[in-house]
């Protein structure tokens, strides 16, 4: 009898332990559990997303743009007045053609304005500007070498500075006695090609006696060839150095 009671007590103890273990398991099962993991909705691939701005440590670099500089004085070495052929001198005032880059002294530009409609004798442009002291010209400068013309082709070179060589047929004096024409053709003043000396330049080239002495000579001259509406074809000079050669 005692043996049965002991066995029953042991069985009861095991049963009680089993009940306690099952309750603990159920409490863990039925209790609060960890929250479920939420998945981010997938973003559509065709949506624009701006790029992130540079961080504080990054630097934006800009390329330097080099400009055209015209600093510094004008370099006139080896350059000459396109009208007279005289070496350039800043003290005489300077003008420059912006198209072909030749230079003129102020007095030469005045001749162009009066006798050639302010057109450049090298290229025909009217874009001639004044160059002030200490200022650099527009893109440097160049010399002008006049084309050599003859009696056969001079009519295709009007409004240009040319070089001409010809025999002097006669020397004519204007009615007012102040202007002279050295004729290269046997024609009246208004018809033939001539070298003209206006009142203001007679003294500069040597005076009336020198001009008259050119009769019968062969003269080589540099000057502005124009076709005056009243006085016909003529070569204009203002300085003695524009008469390049005289052969008697």
């Amino acid at each position: 009898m005692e043996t049965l009671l002991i066995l029953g007590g042991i069985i009861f103890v095991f049963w009680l332990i089993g009940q306690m273990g099952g309750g603990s398991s159920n409490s863990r099962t039925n209790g609060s559990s960890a929250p479920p993991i939420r998945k981010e909705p997938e973003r559509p691939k065709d949506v624009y997303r701006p790029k992130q701005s540079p961080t504080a440590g990054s630097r934006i670099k800009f390329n330097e743009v080099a400009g055209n500089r015209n600093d510094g004085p004008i370099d006139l070495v080896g350059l000459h007045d396109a009208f007279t052929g005289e070496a350039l001198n800043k003290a005489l005032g300077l003008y420059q053609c912006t198209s072909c880059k030749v230079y003129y002294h102020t007095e030469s530009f005045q001749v162009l304005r009066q006798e050639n409609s302010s057109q450049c004798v090298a290229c025909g442009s009217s874009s001639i500007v004044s160059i002030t002291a200490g200022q650099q010209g527009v893109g440097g400068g160049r010399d002008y070498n006049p084309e050599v013309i003859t009696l056969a082709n001079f009519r295709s070179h009007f409004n240009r500075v040319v070089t001409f060589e010809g025999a002097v047929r006669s020397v004519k004096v204007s009615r007012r006695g102040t202007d002279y024409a050295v004729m290269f053709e046997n024609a009246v003043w208004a018809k033939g090609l001539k070298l003209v000396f206006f009142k203001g330049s007679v003294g500069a080239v040597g005076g009336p006696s020198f001009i008259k002495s050119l009769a019968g000579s062969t003269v080589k001259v540099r000057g502005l060839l124009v076709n005056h509406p009243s006085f016909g074809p003529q070569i204009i000079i203002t300085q003695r150095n524009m008469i390049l050669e005289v052969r008697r």
Side-chain angles (χ1 to χ4, degrees), residues 19 22 32 66 126 171 207 211:
Q19 289 296 320
S32 61
S126 297
V171 176
I211 296 172

Side-chain angles (χ1 to χ4, degrees), residues 151 167-170 172 183-189 191-193:
L151 285 174
V168 178
R169 304 301 180 183
S170 63
K172 300 182 183 296
M183 304 297 299
F184 295 113
E185 294 182 287
N186 290 319
V188 297
W189 186 306
K191 297 296 184 181
L193 177 64

Side-chain angles (χ1 to χ4, degrees), residues 199-216:
K199 177 181 178 180
S201 62
V202 170
V205 299
S209 59
F210 169 76
I211 296 172
K212 292 177 181 179
S213 71
L214 296 177

Side-chain angles (χ1 to χ4, degrees), residues 107 197-207 210 237-241:
E107 184 178 337
F197 301 90
F198 297 128
K199 177 181 178 180
S201 62
V202 170
V205 299
F210 169 76
I237 69 171
T238 58
Q239 298 178 7
R240 177 68 174 265
N241 68 289

Side-chain angles (χ1 to χ4, degrees), residues 6-95:
I6 292 171
L7 289 173
I10 293 171
I11 293 171
F12 175 76
V13 171
F14 279 106
W15 176 83
L16 183 61
I17 293 172
Q19 289 296 320
M20 292 177 64
S24 176
S25 175
N26 290 336
S27 64
R28 286 195 301 268
T29 303
N30 297 329
S32 61
S33 60
I37 299 175
R38 295 182 180 179
K39 294 184 178 180
E40 292 289 337
E42 185 177 353
R43 296 183 181 180
K45 296 182 179 180
D46 57 350
V47 176
Y48 168 74
R49 299 181 182 88
K51 295 181 179 180
Q52 294 182 349
S53 59
T55 61
S58 63
R59 295 181 180 178
I60 301 175
K61 296 182 180 180
F62 297 92
N63 294 327
E64 294 184 359
V65 179
N68 294 326
R69 293 182 175 269
N70 281 335
D71 300 332
I74 307 171
D75 183 8
L76 302 179
V77 177
L79 297 179
H80 301 79
D81 185 311
F83 170 55
T84 65
E86 183 181 17
L88 291 179
N89 184 349
K90 297 178 186 178
L92 299 179
L94 293 176
Y95 284 77

Side-chain angles (χ1 to χ4, degrees), residues 86-108:
E86 183 181 17
L88 291 179
N89 184 349
K90 297 178 186 178
L92 299 179
L94 293 176
Y95 284 77
Q96 187 180 31
C97 175
T98 61
S99 295
C100 69
K101 308 301 185 290
V102 299
Y103 282 101
Y104 301 93
H105 287 137
T106 299
E107 184 178 337
S108 295

